[in-house]
Amino acid sequence: MKPVQQIRRAISVAILATAAGVPAASMAQAPSAFDASRWQFTATLYGYFPSIGGKLAFPVDTGGSSINVNADKVIDSLKFAFMGTLDANNGRWGMFTDLIYLDLGGSKSRVRDFSIGNIGLPATTTADLNLNLKGTLWTVAGEYRVISDPSLKVDVLAGARLFDIKPTLGYSIYGDLGPIREAGRSGSSSVKEDFWDGIVGLKGRYAFGDRREWFIPFYADVGTGQSDLTWQVAAGVGYSYNWGSVFAMWRYLDYNFKSSSRIDNINFNGPMLGVAFQW
């Protein structure tokens, strides 16, 4: 067996065996032969329904210790979202851009899912918390196809991702807080951070079925820059039509930030459903 055939077979087996869990159109585009004489485009609209995890730190007006909140303990609803992708290819070369805007929030009453600085809370301390999080994730990258046959397509990619995030916390704290002043027991605080990171990765699809109408899309990237480390993986299953495809996937996106940031870490984990149109 030739080395290229061995690589293709190994990738195919790995995809089928793990289905490891994106830029949605980049993974859901319908299969096509190389045609360097014209551009081919894929536009995708999709819904991403993640759970949110991570730790956020909010400064207080009194200048005391920050209030630390775990996002997954408070956020429980999606208020608004927009998600879309545009992919363009000409021969082996291509580019894509992926945009996600999320507005999430939640409220909890008389909870203990918070901390103040590094000081442990007294047993009688509780709080009413109202947490809103607005964020934009924008990825742009160039790509080069390294494997292309009717069953398997693999692209390598390089580009950048912007994460613009603004969490806002409203709080009222009850109980004995010891040295914390009364004026610091209630109020609101917001944090705004922008992170640009360079990324590298790969994406592709494995097609199967009598006419190869079914496919397994997969994507992975990793990067760093203004954040300490960001990475994401996604995979799922889709079905191709003459006009494009429909797909369902699972996507995980993770950020770890530098010690100077008010945000320690944050992650998005959940299913995606979408439709891609190709022309």
Side-chain angles (χ1 to χ4, degrees):
M1 184 178 293
K2 296 180 179 180
V4 172
Q5 292 175 321
Q6 292 176 328
I7 293 172
R8 290 175 177 171
R9 182 176 179 182
I11 294 175
S12 302
V13 171
I15 295 167
L16 289 172
T18 64
V22 61
S26 306
M27 299 178 292
Q29 58 190 312
S32 58
F34 285 140
D35 184 354
S37 65
R38 68 183 183 92
W39 284 94
Q40 295 177 315
F41 299 92
T42 304
T44 300
L45 293 175
Y46 64 94
Y48 184 34
F49 311 98
S51 59
I52 312 297
K55 188 175 182 180
L56 312 174
F58 295 90
V60 297
D61 293 338
T62 57
S65 299
S66 296
I67 299 175
N68 306 312
V69 178
N70 291 322
D72 57 316
K73 301 295 185 180
V74 183
I75 292 177
D76 58 10
S77 64
L78 176 64
K79 296 181 178 180
F80 178 79
F82 174 82
M83 303 154 192
T85 303
L86 180 64
D87 193 286
N89 295 91
N90 190 321
R92 289 186 178 271
W93 294 96
M95 63 187 73
F96 72 86
T97 182
D98 177 63
L99 178 66
I100 299 176
Y101 175 79
L102 293 170
D103 185 356
L104 309 105
S107 298
K108 299 292 183 182
S109 297
R110 298 290 181 170
V111 298
R112 290 179 51 80
D113 296 321
F114 71 103
S115 62
I116 300 175
N118 297 318
I119 303 172
L121 293 175
T124 60
T125 303
T126 62
D128 296 340
L129 301 177
N130 186 304
L131 178 60
N132 292 287
L133 188 150
K134 296 180 179 180
T136 300
L137 285 156
W138 179 42
T139 302
V140 59
E143 55 196 27
Y144 182 78
R145 184 153 296 172
V146 293
I147 298 177
S148 180
D149 63 34
S151 297
L152 179 65
K153 300 184 186 300
V154 178
D155 299 334
V156 295
L157 61 93
R161 181 160 56 242
L162 167 68
F163 187 20
D164 180 285
I165 181 172
K166 183 181 179 181
T168 301
L169 177 70
Y171 60 92
S172 295
I173 303 173
Y174 310 98
D176 178 18
L177 286 179
I180 296 181
R181 293 181 299 225
E182 190 71 19
R185 288 178 175 267
S186 65
S188 65
S189 179
S190 64
V191 177
K192 190 177 188 304
E193 300 266 20
D194 299 313
F195 303 94
W196 275 104
D197 296 286
I199 60 168
V200 295
L202 63 84
K203 66 180 180 62
R205 50 183 287 151
Y206 176 82
F208 62 98
D210 294 339
R211 294 173 295 173
R212 298 189 180 90
E213 65 273 36
W214 290 96
F215 63 93
I216 295 175
F218 57 95
Y219 179 96
D221 71 38
V222 63
T224 188
Q226 290 182 308
S227 72
D228 203 28
L229 177 68
T230 176
W231 62 278
Q232 69 172 318
V233 290
V237 64
Y239 189 88
S240 298
Y241 298 92
N242 292 332
W243 49 264
S245 59
V246 294
F247 61 91
M249 305 183 68
W250 198 274
R251 180 179 187 176
Y252 182 87
L253 171 62
D254 187 271
Y255 270 89
N256 286 285
F257 300 103
K258 300 181 187 298
S259 58
S260 57
S261 173
R262 285 290 185 179
I263 305 171
D264 183 41
N265 61 81
I266 195 165
N267 58 74
F268 302 85
N269 183 27
M272 293 171 53
L273 297 172
V275 56
F277 302 92
Q278 187 175 31
W279 67 95

